[in-house]
Amino acid sequence: MTHDLMVRGTAAAKAGEKSDAIRYFNWLLGLNPSAEEQTEAWQWLVGLVDDPAEKKSYLDEILSRNPGDARARRRLAELTGTLNPLEVIDPDRNPTSQPNEPIRSTIQRFLCAACGGRMIYTPDGKDLVCENCGSRQAVGGLKSRLSTTKPANFAAAMATTRGHVVPIRARITSCQGCGAEFRVPAHFLSANCPYCGSSYAAVDSNEKDILQPASLVPFKVGIKEVRDAMLAWFRSEGFHNPPSFAVPRGFYIPVWNFTVGGQLSWTGSVKKNDRWVPIRDAKVIQHPEILVLATNRLPETSKGILDTFHLTDLVNFDSHYLADWMAETYQIPVSDASLTARKVVLEAEKEQIPNQYPSRITNLRIDPASIAVDSHQLVLLPIWLTTYQHNQEQFEVAVNGQNCRVIGQLPAQGLSDWISGIFGG
Ligand SMILES: [Zn+2]
Ligand SMILES: [Zn+2]
């Protein structure tokens, strides 16, 4: 019966007989249909009814049962205006094809109002300081330090080009200090003029498809603290003599900050009275702050540095924080990074789920479609990078620019000078 009504309703809808179609689907919904039929009927009704409030009520029904339903999330984003239907990707057009000739761009220069010297952001906290006369200038109206930027709706971004492309157009600009023209690579958010050293941040991106950083953790530690942290780290890792290391360089690295959630459902078998019985279970999950690197340029061995940040220090993005610091924007599109975020959550849940059963669980299968990315935000995190030499080999080290935590590469074969130190060799 319900199957029959689904066939008739679908046929009527396709033939444009709206009122008949609505009648069939409502009839079907009154007959206790399966969950799949119910969802499908609601999806049809969203397209058939004219009243936005009624459309929304069907979408709410679908999402209350499956918060991860991608189609319903996208339609809801369109309905509520979060997603502009005009920006929705045309599937016949490759969303990654962008013209890649450089664009002429104006960028912001940080200049001392008192003497015309170069202003730089200092890691001691709040101010820009003039290198020449020491004048200070508070970073643009720092009334509220904490980040207030709302995370962006993921379903809406995925439906538009923004979710799938990365910036590939370099910017050409003329230096306001010396007049020279120079080029800022596409993935840089800040630059110093190669001729006179004036420091700049890219403020305008005319490209509507490029996502801007929403917030950042400002640098809190300077080069002196980083040097001390390196020496302490060498000691704690057992280096007899601290090796020499390259001058550390501070970077803001781009990171996607995801919230992943949904109704997680799984199947498996548990042992009850010496017999394996199949189970089917579900729970609602919400994982905020799933961080995924948005750049490939961080050394593989330094990726653990992401886990050492505290996002309580996030502030709204302001380009003044970039004065005299290297900053990159994303080179991994949010669509690709979201797959990593989902995988991280699935793996964490896979480890958690067995704990809630008194016996062992076998054949655990999680339905990956039951979880989805809710929101995303591009954030910049401060790190220092350096390398050290040991036995003619080079090793990479990253230091957290917020709290000085060190994540570094160690010689695979151990520390020969540590051994010789102990045995007096
Ligand atoms: Zn000055
Ligand atoms: Zn210049």
Side-chain angles (χ1 to χ4, degrees):
M1 183 69 179
T2 52
H3 175 75
D4 190 40
L5 287 168
M6 181 60 75
V7 173
R8 287 175 191 222
T10 310
K14 285 181 176 161
E17 293 152 3
K18 276 193 180 188
S19 57
D20 281 345
I22 292 173
R23 196 162 49 81
Y24 287 127
F25 288 124
N26 279 323
W27 188 354
L28 182 155
L29 286 168
L31 295 178
N32 225 343
S34 70
E36 288 76 27
E37 287 174 327
Q38 203 178 30
T39 301
E40 207 183 329
W42 279 324
Q43 291 278 19
W44 276 109
L45 284 168
V46 175
L48 289 165
V49 300
D50 295 320
D51 176 19
E54 197 180 344
K55 284 178 193 284
K56 184 170 178 305
S57 73
Y58 295 129
L59 293 169
D60 288 342
E61 291 282 7
I62 298 169
L63 291 171
S64 71
R65 281 159 185 79
N66 177 12
D69 190 300
R71 184 154 172 242
R73 287 155 70 103
R74 184 177 143 179
R75 293 178 96 176
L76 188 64
E78 268 182 31
L79 194 64
T80 55
T82 324
L83 175 62
N84 177 355
L86 295 177
E87 292 182 353
V88 171
I89 295 172
D90 173 356
D92 298 330
R93 192 184 129 240
N94 177 1
T96 52
S97 65
Q98 270 182 307
N100 65 352
E101 70 278 8
I103 46 171
R104 185 150 282 284
S105 153
T106 49
I107 54 181
Q108 181 179 19
R109 183 182 180 204
F110 303 108
L111 202 64
C112 173
C115 75
R118 207 167 75 113
M119 301 293 282
I120 59 176
Y121 176 76
T122 50
D124 66 350
K126 311 143 189 71
D127 298 328
L128 294 180
V129 173
C130 172
E131 281 187 320
N132 186 40
C133 72
S135 294
R136 297 177 88 88
Q137 180 197 327
V139 174
L142 272 180
K143 278 162 238 131
S144 137
R145 300 265 305 171
L146 291 186
S147 174
T148 51
T149 317
K150 284 224 179 68
N153 181 301
F154 184 71
M158 288 298 284
T160 63
T161 319
R162 275 193 291 281
H164 305 273
V165 300
V166 298
I168 54 168
R169 275 150 61 109
R171 294 175 297 269
I172 293 181
T173 195
S174 5
C175 176
Q176 295 148 28
C178 68
E181 288 216 325
F182 67 99
R183 175 190 269 250
V184 184
H187 56 273
F188 277 91
L189 283 170
S190 63
N192 286 350
C193 169
Y195 305 101
C196 72
S198 296
S199 85
Y200 291 94
V203 278
D204 70 325
S205 174
N206 310 323
E207 293 176 90
K208 66 175 173 48
D209 289 338
I210 303 307
L211 297 158
Q212 297 302 316
S215 52
L216 59 70
V217 172
F219 271 95
K220 286 254 166 72
V221 296
I223 196 155
K224 191 189 163 307
E225 289 103 317
V226 171
R227 285 179 192 281
D228 293 346
M230 288 288 295
L231 293 174
W233 181 74
F234 285 131
R235 269 198 306 279
S236 72
E237 293 297 339
F239 285 85
H240 187 56
N241 295 310
S244 63
F245 54 94
V247 178
R249 299 184 66 185
F251 286 85
Y252 282 107
I253 53 162
V255 173
W256 294 112
N257 179 10
F258 290 105
T259 300
V260 179
Q263 162 114 342
L264 187 75
S265 53
W266 65 92
T267 58
S269 307
V270 294
K271 212 161 201 177
K272 265 189 196 147
N273 304 328
D274 286 338
R275 284 181 45 214
W276 289 102
V277 279
I279 49 152
R280 171 181 290 273
D281 248 326
K283 67 173 173 183
V284 172
I285 58 163
Q286 175 86 342
H287 290 257
E289 296 188 0
I290 303 292
L291 299 182
V292 179
L293 268 181
T295 172
N296 289 317
R297 286 155 47 95
L298 197 64
E300 189 63 39
T301 48
S302 306
K303 290 189 173 164
I305 197 88
L306 281 195
D307 301 331
T308 65
F309 283 96
H310 302 292
L311 297 190
T312 42
D313 282 350
L314 276 180
V315 299
N316 289 335
F317 177 74
D318 182 320
S319 55
H320 288 82
Y321 288 113
L322 311 189
D324 203 36
W325 297 89
M326 305 260 276
E328 287 193 355
T329 188
Y330 59 100
Q331 300 128 58
I332 296 174
V334 66
S335 52
D336 290 1
S338 73
L339 300 178
T340 311
R342 287 175 51 124
K343 210 168 127 207
V344 167
V345 168
L346 272 176
E347 270 157 27
E349 289 294 340
K350 209 165 194 168
E351 272 185 28
Q352 273 302 312
I353 286 171
N355 299 339
Q356 68 186 71
Y357 296 99
S359 92
R360 219 156 56 77
I361 179 166
T362 57
N363 300 326
L364 174 60
R365 240 183 232 122
I366 299 180
D367 174 13
S370 61
I371 64 160
V373 172
D374 277 323
S375 63
H376 65 281
Q377 212 183 34
L378 182 62
V379 303
L380 301 179
L381 299 178
I383 64 165
W384 292 89
L385 290 178
T386 179
T387 57
Y388 69 91
Q389 301 278 333
H390 179 80
N391 290 346
Q392 278 95 51
E393 255 192 282
Q394 184 167 297
F395 299 94
E396 282 149 342
V397 181
V399 181
N400 184 317
Q402 179 187 29
N403 55 27
C404 263
R405 284 282 301 279
V406 179
I407 303 281
Q409 201 181 6
L410 289 166
Q413 72 281 22
L415 299 168
S416 49
D417 65 348
W418 179 73
I419 304 289
S420 60
I422 285 189
F423 297 107

